[in-house]
Short mmCIF file of all heavy atoms in Angstrom, two decimals:
data_model
loop_
_atom_site.label_atom_id
_atom_site.label_comp_id
_atom_site.label_asym_id
_atom_site.label_seq_id
_atom_site.Cartn_x
_atom_site.Cartn_y
_atom_site.Cartn_z
N MET A 283 76.32 104.92 116.39
CA MET A 283 76.75 104.38 115.12
C MET A 283 78.22 104.72 114.90
O MET A 283 78.66 105.85 115.11
CB MET A 283 75.90 104.98 114.00
CG MET A 283 76.27 104.49 112.64
SD MET A 283 75.07 105.13 111.43
CE MET A 283 75.76 104.45 109.98
N THR A 284 79.00 103.76 114.47
CA THR A 284 80.42 103.95 114.22
C THR A 284 80.64 104.36 112.78
O THR A 284 80.06 103.78 111.86
CB THR A 284 81.19 102.64 114.50
OG1 THR A 284 80.91 102.23 115.83
CG2 THR A 284 82.66 102.84 114.33
N SER A 285 81.49 105.36 112.57
CA SER A 285 81.79 105.76 111.20
C SER A 285 82.76 104.75 110.59
O SER A 285 83.54 104.12 111.29
CB SER A 285 82.37 107.17 111.17
OG SER A 285 83.55 107.24 111.93
N PRO A 286 82.70 104.60 109.26
CA PRO A 286 83.58 103.63 108.61
C PRO A 286 85.04 104.04 108.73
O PRO A 286 85.36 105.22 108.80
CB PRO A 286 83.12 103.66 107.15
CG PRO A 286 82.35 104.91 106.99
CD PRO A 286 81.85 105.30 108.33
N GLY A 287 85.91 103.06 108.78
CA GLY A 287 87.34 103.32 108.85
C GLY A 287 87.97 103.16 107.49
O GLY A 287 87.38 102.63 106.56
N GLY A 288 89.16 103.65 107.36
CA GLY A 288 89.86 103.52 106.10
C GLY A 288 91.31 103.92 106.26
O GLY A 288 91.73 104.47 107.26
N HIS A 289 92.07 103.61 105.23
CA HIS A 289 93.50 103.88 105.23
C HIS A 289 93.87 104.25 103.81
O HIS A 289 93.51 103.54 102.86
CB HIS A 289 94.24 102.62 105.68
CG HIS A 289 95.72 102.75 105.60
ND1 HIS A 289 96.47 103.21 106.65
CD2 HIS A 289 96.59 102.49 104.60
CE1 HIS A 289 97.75 103.20 106.30
NE2 HIS A 289 97.84 102.77 105.05
N PHE A 290 94.57 105.35 103.63
CA PHE A 290 95.04 105.79 102.33
C PHE A 290 96.54 105.88 102.39
O PHE A 290 97.09 106.62 103.20
CB PHE A 290 94.41 107.15 101.99
CG PHE A 290 94.80 107.70 100.64
CD1 PHE A 290 94.19 107.23 99.50
CD2 PHE A 290 95.75 108.68 100.53
CE1 PHE A 290 94.54 107.73 98.25
CE2 PHE A 290 96.11 109.19 99.31
CZ PHE A 290 95.49 108.72 98.16
N ASP A 291 97.23 105.12 101.58
CA ASP A 291 98.69 105.07 101.60
C ASP A 291 99.19 105.47 100.22
O ASP A 291 98.77 104.89 99.22
CB ASP A 291 99.12 103.64 101.93
CG ASP A 291 100.61 103.50 102.13
OD1 ASP A 291 101.33 104.51 102.10
OD2 ASP A 291 101.06 102.36 102.30
N ALA A 292 100.06 106.46 100.16
CA ALA A 292 100.58 106.93 98.87
C ALA A 292 102.01 107.41 99.05
O ALA A 292 102.38 107.90 100.11
CB ALA A 292 99.71 108.04 98.32
N ASP A 293 102.79 107.28 97.99
CA ASP A 293 104.17 107.77 98.06
C ASP A 293 104.57 108.50 96.77
O ASP A 293 105.70 108.46 96.36
CB ASP A 293 105.14 106.64 98.36
CG ASP A 293 105.12 105.54 97.30
OD1 ASP A 293 104.39 105.67 96.31
OD2 ASP A 293 105.85 104.56 97.46
N THR A 294 103.61 109.19 96.17
CA THR A 294 103.90 109.95 94.97
C THR A 294 104.03 111.43 95.30
O THR A 294 103.65 111.87 96.39
CB THR A 294 102.78 109.78 93.91
OG1 THR A 294 101.58 110.35 94.43
CG2 THR A 294 102.54 108.32 93.59
N VAL A 295 104.52 112.20 94.37
CA VAL A 295 104.68 113.63 94.56
C VAL A 295 103.34 114.31 94.84
O VAL A 295 103.26 115.23 95.64
CB VAL A 295 105.35 114.26 93.31
CG1 VAL A 295 105.42 115.77 93.43
CG2 VAL A 295 106.72 113.67 93.09
N GLU A 296 102.27 113.83 94.22
CA GLU A 296 100.95 114.43 94.37
C GLU A 296 100.17 113.89 95.57
O GLU A 296 99.01 114.24 95.75
CB GLU A 296 100.11 114.21 93.11
CG GLU A 296 100.71 114.78 91.85
CD GLU A 296 101.69 113.83 91.17
OE1 GLU A 296 101.76 112.65 91.56
OE2 GLU A 296 102.42 114.27 90.29
N ALA A 297 100.75 113.03 96.37
CA ALA A 297 100.03 112.35 97.45
C ALA A 297 99.40 113.33 98.44
O ALA A 297 98.25 113.16 98.83
CB ALA A 297 100.95 111.39 98.18
N LEU A 298 100.13 114.33 98.87
CA LEU A 298 99.59 115.26 99.87
C LEU A 298 98.38 116.00 99.32
O LEU A 298 97.38 116.15 100.02
CB LEU A 298 100.67 116.23 100.33
CG LEU A 298 100.29 117.15 101.49
CD1 LEU A 298 99.81 116.34 102.70
CD2 LEU A 298 101.45 118.04 101.86
N ASP A 299 98.44 116.42 98.06
CA ASP A 299 97.28 117.09 97.46
C ASP A 299 96.09 116.14 97.39
O ASP A 299 94.95 116.54 97.65
CB ASP A 299 97.61 117.60 96.06
CG ASP A 299 98.55 118.79 96.08
OD1 ASP A 299 98.59 119.50 97.11
OD2 ASP A 299 99.25 119.01 95.07
N ALA A 300 96.33 114.88 97.04
CA ALA A 300 95.25 113.89 96.96
C ALA A 300 94.63 113.65 98.33
O ALA A 300 93.41 113.59 98.47
CB ALA A 300 95.77 112.59 96.37
N ILE A 301 95.45 113.55 99.36
CA ILE A 301 94.96 113.32 100.72
C ILE A 301 94.13 114.52 101.19
O ILE A 301 93.06 114.36 101.77
CB ILE A 301 96.13 113.04 101.68
CG1 ILE A 301 96.74 111.68 101.34
CG2 ILE A 301 95.69 113.11 103.13
CD1 ILE A 301 98.07 111.42 101.99
N ARG A 302 94.61 115.71 100.91
CA ARG A 302 93.86 116.91 101.30
C ARG A 302 92.54 117.01 100.54
O ARG A 302 91.53 117.45 101.10
CB ARG A 302 94.72 118.15 101.09
CG ARG A 302 95.82 118.25 102.12
CD ARG A 302 96.69 119.45 101.92
NE ARG A 302 97.66 119.55 103.02
CZ ARG A 302 98.78 120.22 102.95
NH1 ARG A 302 99.10 120.87 101.85
NH2 ARG A 302 99.60 120.25 103.97
N ASP A 303 92.51 116.58 99.29
CA ASP A 303 91.27 116.58 98.51
C ASP A 303 90.27 115.60 99.12
O ASP A 303 89.09 115.93 99.29
CB ASP A 303 91.56 116.21 97.06
CG ASP A 303 90.31 116.23 96.20
OD1 ASP A 303 89.61 117.26 96.19
OD2 ASP A 303 90.03 115.20 95.55
N ILE A 304 90.73 114.42 99.49
CA ILE A 304 89.85 113.43 100.13
C ILE A 304 89.34 113.98 101.45
O ILE A 304 88.15 113.88 101.77
CB ILE A 304 90.60 112.10 100.34
CG1 ILE A 304 90.86 111.43 98.98
CG2 ILE A 304 89.82 111.17 101.26
CD1 ILE A 304 91.82 110.27 99.05
N ALA A 305 90.21 114.60 102.24
CA ALA A 305 89.83 115.14 103.54
C ALA A 305 88.76 116.22 103.39
O ALA A 305 87.83 116.28 104.21
CB ALA A 305 91.05 115.71 104.26
N ALA A 306 88.85 117.03 102.36
CA ALA A 306 87.86 118.09 102.14
C ALA A 306 86.48 117.51 101.82
O ALA A 306 85.46 118.16 102.05
CB ALA A 306 88.32 119.00 101.02
N ARG A 307 86.43 116.30 101.32
CA ARG A 307 85.17 115.66 100.96
C ARG A 307 84.55 114.89 102.14
O ARG A 307 83.43 114.39 102.03
CB ARG A 307 85.38 114.70 99.79
CG ARG A 307 85.82 115.42 98.54
CD ARG A 307 86.29 114.43 97.49
NE ARG A 307 86.97 115.11 96.42
CZ ARG A 307 86.39 115.51 95.28
NH1 ARG A 307 85.11 115.30 95.10
NH2 ARG A 307 87.09 116.12 94.36
N LEU A 308 85.26 114.77 103.25
CA LEU A 308 84.78 114.04 104.43
C LEU A 308 84.73 114.98 105.62
O LEU A 308 85.62 115.01 106.45
CB LEU A 308 85.72 112.86 104.74
CG LEU A 308 85.92 111.85 103.62
CD1 LEU A 308 87.03 110.87 103.99
CD2 LEU A 308 84.62 111.12 103.33
N PRO A 309 83.67 115.76 105.73
CA PRO A 309 83.61 116.76 106.81
C PRO A 309 83.56 116.12 108.20
O PRO A 309 82.89 115.11 108.42
CB PRO A 309 82.33 117.53 106.51
CG PRO A 309 81.52 116.64 105.64
CD PRO A 309 82.48 115.76 104.90
N ALA A 310 84.26 116.73 109.14
CA ALA A 310 84.34 116.22 110.51
C ALA A 310 82.98 116.22 111.19
O ALA A 310 82.71 115.36 112.04
CB ALA A 310 85.33 117.04 111.32
N ASP A 311 82.09 117.13 110.81
CA ASP A 311 80.78 117.17 111.47
C ASP A 311 79.88 116.01 111.07
O ASP A 311 78.81 115.83 111.63
CB ASP A 311 80.08 118.52 111.24
CG ASP A 311 79.85 118.84 109.77
OD1 ASP A 311 80.41 118.14 108.90
OD2 ASP A 311 79.10 119.79 109.49
N ASP A 312 80.30 115.19 110.12
CA ASP A 312 79.56 113.98 109.75
C ASP A 312 80.11 112.75 110.49
O ASP A 312 79.78 111.62 110.14
CB ASP A 312 79.62 113.74 108.24
CG ASP A 312 78.68 114.65 107.46
OD1 ASP A 312 77.83 115.29 108.09
OD2 ASP A 312 78.82 114.71 106.23
N GLY A 313 80.97 112.97 111.48
CA GLY A 313 81.48 111.87 112.29
C GLY A 313 82.82 111.32 111.86
O GLY A 313 83.30 110.35 112.43
N TYR A 314 83.44 111.92 110.85
CA TYR A 314 84.75 111.43 110.40
C TYR A 314 85.85 112.03 111.26
O TYR A 314 85.82 113.20 111.62
CB TYR A 314 85.00 111.82 108.94
CG TYR A 314 84.13 111.07 107.97
CD1 TYR A 314 82.97 111.64 107.48
CD2 TYR A 314 84.48 109.80 107.55
CE1 TYR A 314 82.16 110.95 106.59
CE2 TYR A 314 83.69 109.11 106.67
CZ TYR A 314 82.52 109.69 106.19
OH TYR A 314 81.74 109.01 105.31
N HIS A 315 86.83 111.22 111.57
CA HIS A 315 88.04 111.66 112.26
C HIS A 315 89.20 111.44 111.31
O HIS A 315 89.43 110.31 110.87
CB HIS A 315 88.25 110.87 113.56
CG HIS A 315 89.59 111.12 114.17
ND1 HIS A 315 89.87 112.26 114.90
CD2 HIS A 315 90.73 110.40 114.14
CE1 HIS A 315 91.13 112.22 115.29
NE2 HIS A 315 91.67 111.10 114.84
N LEU A 316 89.90 112.50 110.98
CA LEU A 316 90.99 112.40 110.02
C LEU A 316 92.32 112.66 110.70
O LEU A 316 92.44 113.56 111.53
CB LEU A 316 90.79 113.42 108.89
CG LEU A 316 89.45 113.34 108.17
CD1 LEU A 316 89.31 114.50 107.20
CD2 LEU A 316 89.31 112.02 107.44
N GLU A 317 93.31 111.86 110.34
CA GLU A 317 94.65 112.01 110.89
C GLU A 317 95.66 111.74 109.79
O GLU A 317 95.54 110.76 109.06
CB GLU A 317 94.85 111.03 112.05
CG GLU A 317 96.16 111.16 112.74
CD GLU A 317 96.30 110.21 113.91
OE1 GLU A 317 95.69 109.12 113.89
OE2 GLU A 317 97.02 110.55 114.85
N LEU A 318 96.64 112.64 109.65
CA LEU A 318 97.69 112.47 108.65
C LEU A 318 98.95 112.00 109.35
O LEU A 318 99.43 112.62 110.30
CB LEU A 318 97.95 113.80 107.93
CG LEU A 318 99.07 113.81 106.91
CD1 LEU A 318 98.80 112.81 105.78
CD2 LEU A 318 99.25 115.22 106.33
N LEU A 319 99.47 110.88 108.91
CA LEU A 319 100.71 110.32 109.44
C LEU A 319 101.73 110.25 108.32
O LEU A 319 101.44 109.71 107.25
CB LEU A 319 100.47 108.92 110.00
CG LEU A 319 99.43 108.81 111.11
CD1 LEU A 319 99.17 107.34 111.44
CD2 LEU A 319 99.90 109.54 112.35
N LEU A 320 102.92 110.80 108.56
CA LEU A 320 103.98 110.75 107.57
C LEU A 320 105.06 109.78 108.03
O LEU A 320 105.46 109.80 109.20
CB LEU A 320 104.60 112.14 107.38
CG LEU A 320 103.75 113.20 106.72
CD1 LEU A 320 104.51 114.52 106.64
CD2 LEU A 320 103.30 112.77 105.34
N ALA A 321 105.53 108.97 107.11
CA ALA A 321 106.62 108.05 107.43
C ALA A 321 107.91 108.87 107.53
O ALA A 321 108.21 109.67 106.66
CB ALA A 321 106.75 106.98 106.36
N HIS A 322 108.65 108.69 108.61
CA HIS A 322 109.89 109.43 108.80
C HIS A 322 111.11 108.52 108.87
O HIS A 322 112.24 108.98 108.75
CB HIS A 322 109.81 110.31 110.06
CG HIS A 322 109.67 109.52 111.32
ND1 HIS A 322 110.75 109.06 112.03
CD2 HIS A 322 108.58 109.11 111.99
CE1 HIS A 322 110.33 108.40 113.09
NE2 HIS A 322 109.00 108.41 113.08
N ASP A 323 110.88 107.24 109.02
CA ASP A 323 111.97 106.28 109.13
C ASP A 323 111.39 104.90 108.97
O ASP A 323 110.19 104.75 108.72
CB ASP A 323 112.65 106.42 110.49
CG ASP A 323 114.12 106.01 110.48
OD1 ASP A 323 114.56 105.37 109.51
OD2 ASP A 323 114.83 106.33 111.45
N GLU A 324 112.20 103.88 109.10
CA GLU A 324 111.68 102.52 109.07
C GLU A 324 112.51 101.61 109.96
O GLU A 324 113.68 101.87 110.21
CB GLU A 324 111.62 101.96 107.65
CG GLU A 324 112.95 101.70 107.01
CD GLU A 324 112.83 101.17 105.59
OE1 GLU A 324 111.77 101.32 104.97
OE2 GLU A 324 113.81 100.58 105.11
N ARG A 325 111.85 100.59 110.45
CA ARG A 325 112.50 99.55 111.24
C ARG A 325 112.71 98.37 110.30
O ARG A 325 111.81 98.01 109.53
CB ARG A 325 111.59 99.16 112.41
CG ARG A 325 112.15 98.10 113.30
CD ARG A 325 111.22 97.79 114.46
NE ARG A 325 111.15 98.95 115.34
CZ ARG A 325 110.02 99.47 115.81
NH1 ARG A 325 108.86 98.94 115.50
NH2 ARG A 325 110.03 100.51 116.60
N ARG A 326 113.89 97.76 110.35
CA ARG A 326 114.20 96.63 109.47
C ARG A 326 114.60 95.42 110.29
O ARG A 326 115.31 95.53 111.28
CB ARG A 326 115.35 96.97 108.52
CG ARG A 326 115.02 98.06 107.55
CD ARG A 326 116.19 98.33 106.65
NE ARG A 326 115.89 99.48 105.81
CZ ARG A 326 116.79 100.12 105.10
NH1 ARG A 326 118.05 99.75 105.14
NH2 ARG A 326 116.45 101.14 104.36
N TRP A 327 114.12 94.26 109.87
CA TRP A 327 114.52 92.98 110.44
C TRP A 327 115.50 92.35 109.46
O TRP A 327 115.18 92.16 108.29
CB TRP A 327 113.32 92.07 110.66
CG TRP A 327 112.48 92.51 111.82
CD1 TRP A 327 112.58 92.09 113.11
CD2 TRP A 327 111.42 93.48 111.80
NE1 TRP A 327 111.66 92.73 113.90
CE2 TRP A 327 110.93 93.59 113.11
CE3 TRP A 327 110.85 94.27 110.82
CZ2 TRP A 327 109.90 94.44 113.46
CZ3 TRP A 327 109.82 95.13 111.16
CH2 TRP A 327 109.36 95.21 112.47
N LEU A 328 116.68 92.05 109.96
CA LEU A 328 117.76 91.54 109.11
C LEU A 328 118.14 90.12 109.50
O LEU A 328 118.00 89.71 110.65
CB LEU A 328 118.99 92.43 109.22
CG LEU A 328 118.80 93.92 108.95
CD1 LEU A 328 120.08 94.68 109.27
CD2 LEU A 328 118.39 94.15 107.51
N GLU A 329 118.66 89.43 108.51
CA GLU A 329 119.23 88.10 108.75
C GLU A 329 120.67 88.14 108.28
O GLU A 329 120.96 88.62 107.18
CB GLU A 329 118.46 87.05 107.95
CG GLU A 329 119.07 85.66 108.03
CD GLU A 329 118.32 84.69 107.13
OE1 GLU A 329 118.42 84.82 105.91
OE2 GLU A 329 117.65 83.81 107.70
N SER A 330 121.55 87.66 109.10
CA SER A 330 122.96 87.59 108.75
C SER A 330 123.31 86.12 108.52
O SER A 330 123.08 85.27 109.37
CB SER A 330 123.81 88.15 109.89
OG SER A 330 125.17 88.02 109.60
N GLY A 331 123.85 85.84 107.34
CA GLY A 331 124.20 84.47 107.03
C GLY A 331 125.45 84.42 106.17
O GLY A 331 126.09 85.45 105.92
N PRO A 332 125.81 83.25 105.70
CA PRO A 332 127.02 83.10 104.89
C PRO A 332 127.00 83.96 103.62
O PRO A 332 128.03 84.39 103.14
CB PRO A 332 127.03 81.61 104.51
CG PRO A 332 126.09 80.95 105.45
CD PRO A 332 125.13 81.99 105.92
N GLY A 333 125.81 84.24 103.11
CA GLY A 333 125.70 85.06 101.90
C GLY A 333 125.64 86.55 102.18
O GLY A 333 125.49 87.36 101.27
N GLY A 334 125.74 86.94 103.46
CA GLY A 334 125.68 88.36 103.82
C GLY A 334 124.39 88.71 104.53
O GLY A 334 123.70 87.84 105.06
N LEU A 335 124.05 89.98 104.51
CA LEU A 335 122.83 90.46 105.15
C LEU A 335 121.65 90.39 104.19
O LEU A 335 121.79 90.64 102.99
CB LEU A 335 122.98 91.91 105.60
CG LEU A 335 123.81 92.17 106.84
CD1 LEU A 335 123.90 93.67 107.11
CD2 LEU A 335 123.24 91.47 108.05
N ARG A 336 120.49 90.06 104.74
CA ARG A 336 119.27 90.01 103.95
C ARG A 336 118.16 90.68 104.75
O ARG A 336 118.01 90.42 105.94
CB ARG A 336 118.91 88.56 103.64
CG ARG A 336 117.72 88.40 102.75
CD ARG A 336 117.55 86.95 102.38
NE ARG A 336 116.93 86.26 103.50
CZ ARG A 336 116.12 85.21 103.38
NH1 ARG A 336 115.89 84.71 102.20
NH2 ARG A 336 115.59 84.66 104.44
N VAL A 337 117.39 91.57 104.11
CA VAL A 337 116.27 92.23 104.77
C VAL A 337 115.09 91.26 104.76
O VAL A 337 114.63 90.85 103.71
CB VAL A 337 115.89 93.54 104.06
CG1 VAL A 337 114.66 94.17 104.73
CG2 VAL A 337 117.06 94.52 104.07
N LEU A 338 114.62 90.89 105.95
CA LEU A 338 113.48 89.98 106.07
C LEU A 338 112.16 90.73 106.04
O LEU A 338 111.17 90.25 105.51
CB LEU A 338 113.57 89.18 107.37
CG LEU A 338 114.80 88.27 107.52
CD1 LEU A 338 114.79 87.62 108.90
CD2 LEU A 338 114.83 87.23 106.42
N ALA A 339 112.14 91.91 106.66
CA ALA A 339 110.91 92.71 106.72
C ALA A 339 111.29 94.14 107.03
O ALA A 339 112.37 94.42 107.54
CB ALA A 339 109.98 92.16 107.80
N ARG A 340 110.37 95.03 106.73
CA ARG A 340 110.54 96.43 107.09
C ARG A 340 109.21 96.99 107.52
O ARG A 340 108.15 96.55 107.05
CB ARG A 340 111.14 97.25 105.97
CG ARG A 340 110.45 97.10 104.67
CD ARG A 340 111.09 97.88 103.55
NE ARG A 340 109.99 98.50 102.83
CZ ARG A 340 109.91 99.73 102.44
NH1 ARG A 340 110.91 100.55 102.63
NH2 ARG A 340 108.86 100.20 101.84
N GLU A 341 109.26 97.92 108.46
CA GLU A 341 108.06 98.54 109.01
C GLU A 341 108.26 100.05 109.03
O GLU A 341 109.17 100.55 109.67
CB GLU A 341 107.82 98.04 110.43
CG GLU A 341 106.69 98.72 111.15
CD GLU A 341 106.63 98.34 112.62
OE1 GLU A 341 107.52 97.65 113.13
OE2 GLU A 341 105.67 98.78 113.27
N PRO A 342 107.43 100.79 108.29
CA PRO A 342 107.56 102.25 108.33
C PRO A 342 107.21 102.78 109.72
O PRO A 342 106.35 102.24 110.41
CB PRO A 342 106.53 102.75 107.31
CG PRO A 342 106.01 101.56 106.61
CD PRO A 342 106.37 100.35 107.40
N LEU A 343 107.92 103.82 110.14
CA LEU A 343 107.65 104.50 111.41
C LEU A 343 107.04 105.85 111.07
O LEU A 343 107.60 106.60 110.27
CB LEU A 343 108.93 104.67 112.21
CG LEU A 343 109.66 103.37 112.55
CD1 LEU A 343 110.99 103.67 113.22
CD2 LEU A 343 108.79 102.48 113.42
N PHE A 344 105.90 106.16 111.67
CA PHE A 344 105.13 107.35 111.32
C PHE A 344 105.11 108.35 112.47
O PHE A 344 105.25 107.98 113.63
CB PHE A 344 103.67 106.96 111.00
CG PHE A 344 103.54 106.05 109.83
CD1 PHE A 344 103.44 104.68 110.01
CD2 PHE A 344 103.51 106.56 108.55
CE1 PHE A 344 103.29 103.83 108.93
CE2 PHE A 344 103.36 105.72 107.45
CZ PHE A 344 103.25 104.35 107.64
N HIS A 345 104.89 109.61 112.12
CA HIS A 345 104.59 110.64 113.12
C HIS A 345 103.42 111.46 112.59
O HIS A 345 103.27 111.65 111.39
CB HIS A 345 105.81 111.51 113.44
CG HIS A 345 106.30 112.37 112.32
ND1 HIS A 345 107.20 111.94 111.38
CD2 HIS A 345 105.98 113.65 111.98
CE1 HIS A 345 107.42 112.92 110.51
NE2 HIS A 345 106.70 113.95 110.85
N PRO A 346 102.55 111.92 113.51
CA PRO A 346 101.38 112.69 113.09
C PRO A 346 101.78 114.10 112.64
O PRO A 346 102.70 114.70 113.18
CB PRO A 346 100.50 112.73 114.34
CG PRO A 346 101.43 112.48 115.47
CD PRO A 346 102.58 111.67 114.95
N VAL A 347 101.06 114.59 111.65
CA VAL A 347 101.27 115.93 111.10
C VAL A 347 99.89 116.57 110.94
O VAL A 347 98.96 115.90 110.48
CB VAL A 347 101.97 115.86 109.73
CG1 VAL A 347 102.08 117.22 109.09
CG2 VAL A 347 103.34 115.21 109.87
N PRO A 348 99.73 117.85 111.30
CA PRO A 348 98.44 118.50 111.05
C PRO A 348 98.08 118.40 109.56
O PRO A 348 98.94 118.60 108.70
CB PRO A 348 98.67 119.94 111.47
CG PRO A 348 99.80 119.87 112.46
CD PRO A 348 100.68 118.74 111.98
N LEU A 349 96.86 118.06 109.29
CA LEU A 349 96.42 117.80 107.92
C LEU A 349 96.65 118.96 106.97
O LEU A 349 96.99 118.76 105.81
CB LEU A 349 94.94 117.41 107.93
CG LEU A 349 94.36 116.89 106.63
CD1 LEU A 349 95.10 115.65 106.16
CD2 LEU A 349 92.89 116.59 106.80
N HIS A 350 96.51 120.18 107.44
CA HIS A 350 96.64 121.32 106.54
C HIS A 350 97.93 122.10 106.74
O HIS A 350 98.08 123.18 106.20
CB HIS A 350 95.42 122.24 106.69
CG HIS A 350 94.16 121.52 106.29
ND1 HIS A 350 93.89 121.18 104.99
CD2 HIS A 350 93.15 121.04 107.01
CE1 HIS A 350 92.75 120.54 104.93
NE2 HIS A 350 92.27 120.44 106.16
N ALA A 351 98.87 121.53 107.49
CA ALA A 351 100.15 122.20 107.69
C ALA A 351 101.07 121.91 106.51
O ALA A 351 101.00 120.86 105.90
CB ALA A 351 100.80 121.70 108.98
N PRO A 352 101.95 122.85 106.18
CA PRO A 352 102.94 122.56 105.15
C PRO A 352 103.88 121.46 105.63
O PRO A 352 104.13 121.35 106.84
CB PRO A 352 103.68 123.88 104.97
CG PRO A 352 103.35 124.72 106.14
CD PRO A 352 102.10 124.17 106.75
N THR A 353 104.35 120.64 104.72
CA THR A 353 105.28 119.57 105.10
C THR A 353 106.56 119.73 104.30
O THR A 353 106.57 120.29 103.21
CB THR A 353 104.69 118.18 104.81
OG1 THR A 353 104.41 118.10 103.42
CG2 THR A 353 103.43 117.93 105.62
N ASP A 354 107.63 119.22 104.86
CA ASP A 354 108.91 119.28 104.16
C ASP A 354 109.34 117.91 103.68
O ASP A 354 110.49 117.70 103.31
CB ASP A 354 109.98 119.90 105.06
CG ASP A 354 110.28 119.07 106.31
OD1 ASP A 354 109.63 118.02 106.48
OD2 ASP A 354 111.14 119.46 107.08
N GLY A 355 108.40 116.93 103.72
CA GLY A 355 108.73 115.58 103.28
C GLY A 355 109.33 114.71 104.34
O GLY A 355 109.72 113.60 104.09
N HIS A 356 109.44 115.20 105.59
CA HIS A 356 110.01 114.39 106.67
C HIS A 356 109.00 114.16 107.76
O HIS A 356 108.29 114.94 108.18
CB HIS A 356 111.23 115.08 107.27
CG HIS A 356 112.36 115.15 106.30
ND1 HIS A 356 112.45 116.14 105.35
CD2 HIS A 356 113.42 114.37 106.10
CE1 HIS A 356 113.53 115.95 104.63
NE2 HIS A 356 114.15 114.87 105.08
#
């Protein structure tokens, strides 16, 4: 049996506490696999035209962080 998947995305000051609270409610021995990814940069697609530069799209770039490790926001 496959465990359900999910994605939690937040960018508030309290986000890390909320993520850790959710993680505490989903024990690994019940088949859940938890991974914390922090955005550290972004990739941007730009268009250059007569009116200047325009951002067409952006994609956050993530790196894994231990769920219970302290973070410095990077």
Side-chain angles (χ1 to χ4, degrees):
M283 180 174 178
T284 304
S285 59
H289 175 91
F290 181 79
D291 186 5
D293 60 2
T294 65
V295 175
E296 300 86 11
L298 187 55
D299 289 336
I301 291 167
R302 288 179 175 159
D303 181 54
I304 291 168
R307 297 169 192 266
L308 303 171
D311 59 348
D312 283 348
Y314 290 98
H315 170 78
L316 305 173
E317 183 178 29
L318 177 60
L319 301 172
L320 292 179
H322 64 88
D323 208 345
E324 69 181 19
R325 180 178 293 133
R326 295 180 186 167
W327 287 267
L328 305 173
E329 174 184 70
S330 177
L335 284 178
R336 184 174 79 149
V337 177
L338 299 176
R340 51 182 224 133
E341 174 188 7
L343 301 174
F344 298 96
H345 66 273
V347 175
L349 189 59
H350 297 290
T353 60
D354 64 359
H356 293 84

